[in-house]
Amino acid sequence: MRLDKRRKLERAGWVVGDAGDFLALSPEERQFVEVKLALADGVRRRREHLGLTQLQVAERLGSSQSRVAKMEAADRTVSTDLLLKALFQLGGSSRDVARLLVPRVRNRAA
Amino acid sequence: MRLDKRRKLERAGWVVGDAGDFLALSPEERQFVEVKLALADGVRRRREHLGLTQLQVAERLGSSQSRVAKMEAADRTVSTDLLLKALFQLGGSSRDVARLLVPRVRNRAA
DNA sequence: TGTGCGTATGTCCGATATGACATATTATTC
DNA sequence: GAATAATATGTCATATCGGACATACGCACA
């Protein structure tokens, strides 16, 4: 695992192996966390692409700036439901979501 | 919208337009619901493909038969988090999930 | 018909997510 | 380095979710 990704996971509050180099996550948990990270990245990229602040996005969603910040940080307390709703509210499609999940094509412009 | 899909939505407890033909859902809400339906279908198909009962799946997930039934029915009280975790626990990959979200390739064998 | 198995539905209570708010941190401009 | 804007972090009350249980439904088979 790349170091920056691990840092990101740790900052988001995920339990990382304290002794060794590896995440104390089962493969399934890890897959799930990666989905959340991907969706979170998608929210951030989409927001930036639209030139909006977190506050503006929060207003669109009927949420708060802090929650949007947590979304983008893939915080433990944000659900994939919330991330998906945010992506759709920001104009994303199912296809966009699908693309976020597949590493092969994850590095896109928007 | 196809009638059977609407029936499915209604059974799952989603609010459907009472007067006219249309769902009382915003486009974003509808997209979200469709994601849930797709994931729910994915769980069911994956379970059946593995030849497992809902009870057996529940045991794998550390959950209960009734919750698995609700997952497959895309019940309002099941989150996409739960659906995703279930899919991964049943051996699904991110790519599988992505495929579920894209109608174009949704009709696959397993 | 009745028995068994799988699935669906309704409810409950403990667990977790959410919006809101306060406050901290960072970046930019003067 | 003060002032401002944007983002990050911590906490709380309430809303929603989730496992568990009871029970109902559907279907096969004898």
Side-chain angles (χ1 to χ4, degrees), chain A residues 9-60:
Chain A
L9 282 168
E10 288 173 335
R11 283 202 312 138
W14 299 97
V15 178
V16 171
D18 37 16
D21 299 315
F22 254 64
L23 273 172
L25 295 175
S26 70
E28 295 79 19
E29 288 169 331
R30 163 126 64 164
Q31 281 180 299
F32 176 70
V33 170
E34 300 231 344
V35 165
K36 279 185 70 168
L37 288 175
L39 297 181
D41 263 23
V43 169
R44 162 153 289 154
R45 293 224 304 274
R46 190 158 277 276
R47 174 178 67 81
E48 290 176 344
H49 184 252
L50 294 173
L52 299 175
T53 68
Q54 291 181 344
L55 188 58
Q56 290 172 314
V57 169
E59 284 160 2
R60 281 205 198 188

Coordinates of all heavy atoms in Angstrom, one line a residue, chain A residues 9-60:
Chain A
L9 N -5.9 7.1 5.1 CA -6.8 6.2 5.9 C -6.7 6.5 7.4 O -7.7 6.6 8.1 CB -6.4 4.7 5.7 CG -6.8 4.1 4.4 CD1 -6.1 2.8 4.1 CD2 -8.3 3.9 4.4
E10 N -5.5 6.7 7.8 CA -5.3 7.0 9.2 C -6.0 8.3 9.6 O -6.6 8.4 10.7 CB -3.8 7.0 9.6 CG -3.1 5.7 9.5 CD -1.6 5.7 9.6 OE1 -1.0 6.8 9.3 OE2 -1.0 4.7 10.1
R11 N -5.8 9.3 8.8 CA -6.4 10.6 9.1 C -7.9 10.4 9.2 O -8.6 11.1 9.9 CB -6.0 11.6 8.1 CG -4.6 12.2 8.3 CD -4.4 13.5 7.7 NE -4.9 13.5 6.3 CZ -5.6 14.5 5.8 NH1 -5.9 15.5 6.5 NH2 -6.0 14.4 4.6
A12 N -8.4 9.5 8.4 CA -9.9 9.3 8.3 C -10.4 8.5 9.5 O -11.5 8.3 9.7 CB -10.3 8.7 7.1
G13 N -9.4 8.1 10.3 CA -9.8 7.4 11.6 C -9.8 5.9 11.5 O -10.3 5.2 12.4
W14 N -9.3 5.3 10.4 CA -9.4 3.9 10.3 C -8.2 3.3 11.1 O -7.2 3.8 11.2 CB -9.2 3.4 8.8 CG -10.4 4.0 8.0 CD1 -10.4 5.1 7.2 CD2 -11.7 3.4 7.9 NE1 -11.6 5.3 6.7 CE2 -12.4 4.3 7.1 CE3 -12.3 2.3 8.5 CZ2 -13.8 4.0 6.8 CZ3 -13.6 2.1 8.2 CH2 -14.4 2.9 7.4
V15 N -8.6 2.1 11.6 CA -7.6 1.4 12.5 C -6.5 0.8 11.6 O -6.8 0.0 10.7 CB -8.2 0.3 13.3 CG1 -7.2 -0.4 14.1 CG2 -9.3 0.9 14.2
V16 N -5.3 1.2 11.9 CA -4.2 0.7 11.1 C -3.3 -0.1 12.0 O -3.1 0.2 13.2 CB -3.4 1.9 10.5 CG1 -2.1 1.4 9.9 CG2 -4.2 2.6 9.4
G17 N -2.8 -1.2 11.4 CA -1.9 -2.0 12.2 C -0.9 -1.3 13.0 O -0.1 -0.5 12.5
D18 N -0.9 -1.5 14.3 CA 0.0 -0.7 15.2 C 1.4 -1.2 15.2 O 2.4 -0.5 15.3 CB -0.6 -0.6 16.6 CG -1.2 -1.9 17.0 OD1 -0.9 -2.9 16.3 OD2 -1.9 -1.9 18.0
A19 N 1.5 -2.5 15.0 CA 2.8 -3.1 15.1 C 3.6 -3.1 13.7 O 4.6 -2.5 13.6 CB 2.7 -4.6 15.6
G20 N 3.0 -3.8 12.8 CA 3.6 -4.0 11.5 C 3.3 -2.9 10.5 O 2.9 -1.8 10.8
D21 N 3.5 -3.3 9.2 CA 3.3 -2.3 8.1 C 1.9 -2.3 7.6 O 1.5 -1.5 6.9 CB 4.3 -2.6 7.0 CG 5.7 -2.6 7.4 OD1 6.0 -1.6 8.1 OD2 6.4 -3.5 7.1
F22 N 1.1 -3.3 8.0 CA -0.1 -3.6 7.3 C -1.4 -3.2 8.0 O -1.4 -3.0 9.2 CB -0.2 -5.1 7.0 CG 0.0 -5.4 5.6 CD1 1.3 -5.1 5.0 CD2 -1.0 -5.8 4.7 CE1 1.5 -5.3 3.7 CE2 -0.8 -6.0 3.4 CZ 0.5 -5.8 2.9
L23 N -2.3 -2.9 7.2 CA -3.6 -2.6 7.8 C -4.3 -3.7 8.5 O -4.2 -4.9 8.0 CB -4.6 -2.2 6.6 CG -4.5 -0.7 6.2 CD1 -5.4 -0.5 4.9 CD2 -5.1 0.2 7.3
A24 N -4.8 -3.4 9.6 CA -5.5 -4.5 10.4 C -6.9 -4.6 9.9 O -7.9 -4.6 10.6 CB -5.5 -4.1 11.9
L25 N -7.0 -4.8 8.6 CA -8.4 -4.9 8.0 C -8.4 -6.2 7.2 O -7.4 -6.6 6.6 CB -8.6 -3.8 7.0 CG -8.7 -2.4 7.5 CD1 -8.8 -1.4 6.4 CD2 -9.9 -2.2 8.5
S26 N -9.6 -6.9 7.3 CA -9.8 -8.0 6.4 C -9.9 -7.6 5.0 O -10.1 -6.4 4.7 CB -11.0 -8.8 6.8 OG -12.2 -8.0 6.5
P27 N -9.7 -8.5 4.1 CA -9.8 -8.1 2.7 C -11.1 -7.4 2.3 O -11.1 -6.5 1.6 CB -9.7 -9.5 1.9 CG -8.9 -10.3 2.9 CD -9.2 -9.9 4.3
E28 N -12.2 -8.0 2.9 CA -13.5 -7.4 2.7 C -13.6 -6.0 3.2 O -14.1 -5.1 2.6 CB -14.6 -8.3 3.3 CG -14.7 -9.7 2.7 CD -13.6 -10.6 3.2 OE1 -13.0 -10.3 4.3 OE2 -13.3 -11.6 2.6
E29 N -13.1 -5.8 4.4 CA -13.2 -4.5 5.0 C -12.3 -3.5 4.2 O -12.7 -2.4 3.9 CB -12.6 -4.5 6.4 CG -13.5 -5.2 7.4 CD -12.9 -5.4 8.8 OE1 -11.6 -5.6 8.8 OE2 -13.6 -5.5 9.8
R30 N -11.2 -4.0 3.8 CA -10.3 -3.1 2.9 C -11.0 -2.7 1.7 O -11.0 -1.6 1.3 CB -9.0 -3.9 2.6 CG -8.3 -3.3 1.5 CD -6.9 -2.9 1.8 NE -6.1 -4.1 2.1 CZ -4.8 -4.1 2.1 NH1 -4.1 -3.0 1.8 NH2 -4.1 -5.2 2.4
Q31 N -11.7 -3.7 1.0 CA -12.4 -3.4 -0.2 C -13.4 -2.3 0.0 O -13.6 -1.4 -0.7 CB -13.1 -4.6 -0.8 CG -12.2 -5.6 -1.5 CD -13.0 -6.8 -2.0 OE1 -13.5 -7.5 -1.2 NE2 -13.0 -6.9 -3.3
F32 N -14.1 -2.5 1.1 CA -15.2 -1.5 1.5 C -14.6 -0.1 1.7 O -15.1 0.9 1.2 CB -16.0 -2.0 2.7 CG -17.0 -1.0 3.2 CD1 -18.1 -0.8 2.4 CD2 -16.8 -0.3 4.4 CE1 -19.1 0.1 2.8 CE2 -17.8 0.6 4.8 CZ -18.9 0.8 4.0
V33 N -13.5 -0.1 2.4 CA -12.9 1.2 2.7 C -12.4 1.9 1.4 O -12.5 3.1 1.2 CB -11.7 1.0 3.7 CG1 -10.9 2.3 3.8 CG2 -12.2 0.6 5.1
E34 N -11.9 1.0 0.5 CA -11.4 1.6 -0.7 C -12.6 2.2 -1.5 O -12.4 3.2 -2.2 CB -10.7 0.5 -1.5 CG -9.5 0.0 -0.8 CD -8.2 0.0 -1.6 OE1 -8.3 0.1 -2.8 OE2 -7.1 -0.1 -1.0
V35 N -13.7 1.6 -1.4 CA -14.9 2.1 -2.1 C -15.2 3.5 -1.5 O -15.4 4.5 -2.3 CB -16.1 1.2 -2.0 CG1 -17.4 2.0 -2.3 CG2 -16.0 0.0 -2.8
K36 N -15.1 3.6 -0.2 CA -15.4 4.9 0.4 C -14.4 5.9 0.0 O -14.8 7.1 -0.3 CB -15.5 4.7 1.9 CG -16.8 4.2 2.4 CD -16.9 4.1 3.9 CE -17.0 5.5 4.6 NZ -17.4 5.4 6.0
L37 N -13.2 5.5 0.0 CA -12.1 6.5 -0.4 C -12.3 7.0 -1.8 O -12.2 8.2 -2.1 CB -10.7 5.9 -0.3 CG -10.2 5.7 1.2 CD1 -8.9 4.9 1.2 CD2 -10.1 7.0 1.9
A38 N -12.7 6.0 -2.7 CA -12.9 6.4 -4.1 C -14.1 7.4 -4.2 O -14.0 8.4 -4.9 CB -13.2 5.1 -4.9
L39 N -15.2 7.1 -3.5 CA -16.3 7.9 -3.6 C -16.0 9.3 -3.0 O -16.4 10.3 -3.5 CB -17.5 7.3 -2.8 CG -18.1 6.0 -3.4 CD1 -19.2 5.5 -2.6 CD2 -18.4 6.1 -4.9
A40 N -15.3 9.3 -1.9 CA -14.9 10.6 -1.3 C -14.1 11.4 -2.2 O -14.3 12.6 -2.4 CB -14.1 10.3 0.0
D41 N -13.1 10.8 -2.9 CA -12.3 11.5 -3.9 C -13.2 12.0 -5.0 O -13.0 13.1 -5.5 CB -11.3 10.5 -4.5 CG -9.9 10.7 -3.8 OD1 -9.9 11.1 -2.7 OD2 -8.9 10.3 -4.5
G42 N -14.2 11.2 -5.3 CA -15.1 11.6 -6.4 C -15.9 12.9 -6.0 O -16.0 13.8 -6.8
V43 N -16.3 12.9 -4.8 CA -17.0 14.1 -4.3 C -16.1 15.3 -4.4 O -16.5 16.4 -4.9 CB -17.5 13.9 -2.8 CG1 -18.0 15.2 -2.3 CG2 -18.6 12.9 -2.8
R44 N -14.9 15.2 -3.9 CA -14.0 16.3 -3.9 C -13.7 16.8 -5.3 O -13.8 18.0 -5.6 CB -12.7 16.0 -3.2 CG -11.5 16.9 -3.5 CD -10.5 16.9 -2.4 NE -11.1 17.7 -1.3 CZ -10.7 17.5 0.0 NH1 -9.8 16.6 0.3 NH2 -11.2 18.2 1.0
R45 N -13.4 15.8 -6.1 CA -13.1 16.2 -7.5 C -14.2 16.9 -8.2 O -14.1 17.9 -8.9 CB -12.6 15.0 -8.3 CG -11.3 14.5 -7.8 CD -10.3 14.1 -8.9 NE -10.9 13.1 -9.9 CZ -10.9 11.8 -9.7 NH1 -10.3 11.3 -8.6 NH2 -11.5 11.0 -10.5
R46 N -15.4 16.4 -8.0 CA -16.6 16.9 -8.6 C -16.9 18.3 -8.1 O -17.2 19.2 -8.9 CB -17.8 16.0 -8.4 CG -19.0 16.3 -9.2 CD -19.9 15.1 -9.3 NE -19.5 14.2 -10.3 CZ -19.8 14.4 -11.6 NH1 -20.6 15.4 -12.0 NH2 -19.4 13.5 -12.5
R47 N -16.7 18.5 -6.8 CA -17.0 19.8 -6.2 C -16.0 20.8 -6.8 O -16.4 21.9 -7.2 CB -16.8 19.8 -4.7 CG -16.9 21.1 -4.1 CD -16.8 21.1 -2.6 NE -15.5 20.6 -2.1 CZ -14.4 21.4 -2.0 NH1 -14.5 22.7 -2.3 NH2 -13.3 20.9 -1.5
E48 N -14.7 20.4 -6.8 CA -13.7 21.4 -7.3 C -13.9 21.7 -8.8 O -13.7 22.8 -9.3 CB -12.3 20.8 -7.1 CG -11.9 20.8 -5.6 CD -10.6 20.1 -5.3 OE1 -10.1 19.4 -6.2 OE2 -10.1 20.3 -4.2
H49 N -14.3 20.6 -9.5 CA -14.6 20.8 -10.9 C -15.7 21.8 -11.1 O -15.7 22.6 -12.1 CB -14.9 19.5 -11.6 CG -15.1 19.6 -13.1 ND1 -16.3 19.5 -13.6 CD2 -14.2 19.8 -14.1 CE1 -16.2 19.6 -15.0 NE2 -15.0 19.8 -15.2
L50 N -16.6 21.8 -10.2 CA -17.8 22.8 -10.3 C -17.4 24.1 -9.7 O -18.2 25.1 -9.8 CB -19.0 22.2 -9.6 CG -19.6 20.9 -10.2 CD1 -20.7 20.4 -9.3 CD2 -20.2 21.2 -11.6
G51 N -16.2 24.2 -9.1 CA -15.8 25.5 -8.6 C -16.7 25.9 -7.4 O -16.9 27.1 -7.1
L52 N -17.1 24.9 -6.6 CA -17.9 25.2 -5.4 C -17.1 25.1 -4.1 O -16.1 24.3 -4.1 CB -19.1 24.3 -5.3 CG -20.1 24.3 -6.5 CD1 -21.1 23.2 -6.4 CD2 -20.7 25.7 -6.6
T53 N -17.5 25.8 -3.1 CA -16.9 25.6 -1.8 C -17.7 24.5 -1.0 O -18.8 24.1 -1.4 CB -17.0 26.9 -0.9 OG1 -18.4 27.1 -0.6 CG2 -16.4 28.0 -1.7
Q54 N -17.1 24.0 0.0 CA -17.8 23.0 0.8 C -19.1 23.5 1.4 O -20.1 22.8 1.4 CB -16.9 22.5 2.0 CG -15.7 21.7 1.5 CD -14.8 21.2 2.6 OE1 -15.0 21.7 3.8 NE2 -14.0 20.3 2.4
L55 N -19.1 24.8 1.7 CA -20.3 25.4 2.2 C -21.4 25.4 1.2 O -22.6 25.1 1.4 CB -20.0 26.8 2.7 CG -21.1 27.5 3.4 CD1 -21.6 26.7 4.7 CD2 -20.7 28.9 3.8
Q56 N -21.0 25.7 0.0 CA -22.0 25.8 -1.1 C -22.6 24.4 -1.4 O -23.8 24.2 -1.6 CB -21.4 26.3 -2.4 CG -21.1 27.8 -2.3 CD -20.3 28.3 -3.5 OE1 -19.4 27.7 -3.9 NE2 -20.7 29.5 -4.1
V57 N -21.7 23.4 -1.4 CA -22.2 22.0 -1.6 C -23.1 21.6 -0.4 O -24.2 21.0 -0.6 CB -21.0 21.1 -1.6 CG1 -21.5 19.6 -1.6 CG2 -20.2 21.3 -2.9
A58 N -22.7 22.0 0.8 CA -23.6 21.7 1.9 C -25.0 22.2 1.8 O -25.9 21.6 2.1 CB -22.9 22.2 3.2
E59 N -25.1 23.5 1.3 CA -26.4 24.1 1.1 C -27.2 23.3 0.0 O -28.4 23.0 0.3 CB -26.2 25.5 0.6 CG -25.9 26.4 1.8 CD -25.3 27.8 1.4 OE1 -25.2 28.0 0.1 OE2 -24.9 28.6 2.2
R60 N -26.5 22.9 -1.0 CA -27.2 22.0 -2.0 C -27.8 20.8 -1.4 O -28.8 20.3 -1.8 CB -26.3 21.7 -3.1 CG -26.0 22.8 -4.1 CD -25.6 22.1 -5.5 NE -24.9 23.1 -6.3 CZ -24.6 22.9 -7.6 NH1 -24.9 21.7 -8.1 NH2 -24.0 23.8 -8.3

